[in-house]
DNA sequence: TCAATATGAATGAATG
DNA sequence: CATTCATTCATATTGA
């Protein structure tokens, strides 16, 4: 459940508060890496370092302290976060790309080449002409779900045969008083 | 032009805002959610969804891409931000209430000792009296960690005494064009 | 035009 | 290693 872990309180004082001592004018609170520090860390990461050992962390921290205040734990966390986030990013990008391809597939199937005009768009990547894609999708008539879209039909069907089959993500037309779009079936989201 | 009057000192080079690395637009523009997308997300949130799992995020994103360009990342951030900001708001309200109660407390203390209600702290949350907790924690020595964290102890609380111990520094001046600082000898890091 | 605000994006620091 | 939270940065939007 939403048990709030009785944990981390951020104990930070306000800006410029105590934190005492600091000769380098370091702000109390969390580590604020210097651009040089980030540069070096990134370089290390790029060179293949992922999970530095304690010794390596110590050394790196020691060296990076040349550019500003730093602790070993900062280095440790930096690598942890960097690694995790790169992994996340990769995962999400992959899925997103798959989705986009699916959408483009649908689009081209539906529109059937009514877009020759303006074709001089740079085909470098699918990300360049975002606007166009967005417009296209937005203009895409929601009612034009003809039988060709078997998949979409299935997705948008108010059918409720997907009780425990979490594999299928179904829509559930809500009251539809003036809802011009299908809504997510929230029940499935809490499985 | 970019005069940051109050906060200023944004010395960090390109952290954060960078449009690097396969972001949404891949150009510096950030995701601009459609009203339908926002509507659906808000509905999900209102229905109790706070931290969707990765799968849920991907599904939501996939479905919302029907209304416009969107990435999993956007859904992820949306929920993070929404949740955090609701929490912020609530916390502020709580603090305000606490202050008010304190005021009332003072007043009623002067008047009489009628403070029977409100005595039982609701165990729901530990954040009721932030001020008090914060003060306590700040005074807390922070050394009282149990041996369960021996590993972390060894790593975290040992150094950060970045003195002039540069004897062990190993510099490797790279033939960089305008590198005004010494660089880490990466070879040391991979031993 | 320029502020204040809302909000998308990022990241440091944890926790399990 | 994954997930989460607090905080901060940056920008789009909006109001005066």
């Amino acid at each position: 459940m939403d048990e709030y872990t009785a944990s981390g309180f951020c104990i930070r004082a306000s800006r410029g508060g105590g934190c005492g001592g600091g000769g380098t004018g370091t702000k109390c609170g969390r580590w604020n890496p210097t651009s040089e520090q980030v540069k070096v860390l990134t370089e290390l990461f790029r060179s293949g370092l992922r999970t530095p050992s304690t010794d390596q962390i110590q050394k790196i921290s020691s060296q990076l302290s040349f550019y500003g205040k730093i602790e070993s734990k900062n280095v440790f966390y930096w690598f942890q976060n960097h690694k995790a986030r790169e992994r996340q990013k990769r995962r999400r990008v992959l899925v997103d790309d798959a989705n986009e391809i699916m959408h483009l597939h649908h689009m081209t199937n539906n529109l059937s080449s009514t877009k020759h005009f303006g074709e001089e768009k740079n085909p470098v990547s699918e990300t360049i002409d975002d606007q166009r894609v967005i417009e296209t999708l937005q203009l895409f008539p929601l009612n034009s779900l003809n039988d060709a879209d078997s998949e979409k039909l299935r997705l948008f069907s108010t059918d409720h045969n997907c009780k425990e089959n979490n594999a299928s993500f179904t829509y559930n037309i809500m009251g539809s008083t003036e809802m011009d779009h299908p809504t997510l079936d929230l029940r499935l989201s809490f499985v």
Side-chain angles (χ1 to χ4, degrees), chain A residues 112-120:
Chain A
S112 69
S113 75
T114 54
K115 279 276 259 186
H116 279 353
F117 163 66
E119 189 178 353
E120 44 276 357

Side-chain angles (χ1 to χ4, degrees), chain A residues 102-112 137 140-157:
Chain A
M102 278 175 57
H103 271 267
L104 290 175
H105 208 174
H106 275 286
M107 283 170 55
T108 51
N109 271 346
N110 281 325
L111 297 179
S112 69
L137 282 176
F140 190 55
L142 296 182
N143 322 355
S144 77
L145 293 168
N146 42 18
D147 349 276
D149 299 300
S150 57
E151 238 176 294
K152 266 184 186 168
L153 266 181
R154 188 165 51 96
L155 283 177
F156 285 88
S157 71

Side-chain angles (χ1 to χ4, degrees), chain A residues 68-109:
Chain A
K69 175 165 185 162
I70 193 175
E71 297 180 29
S72 294
K73 71 170 187 177
N74 303 133
V75 177
F76 171 77
Y77 282 141
W78 191 93
F79 275 95
Q80 287 269 108
N81 286 321
H82 211 70
K83 186 169 42 170
R85 274 159 187 155
E86 180 150 279
R87 202 169 9 233
Q88 267 188 0
K89 192 162 74 177
R90 191 172 304 278
R91 217 181 315 158
R92 291 202 177 125
V93 167
L94 281 177
V95 174
D96 289 341
D97 281 359
N99 282 337
E100 189 158 354
I101 288 174
M102 278 175 57
H103 271 267
L104 290 175
H105 208 174
H106 275 286
M107 283 170 55
T108 51
N109 271 346

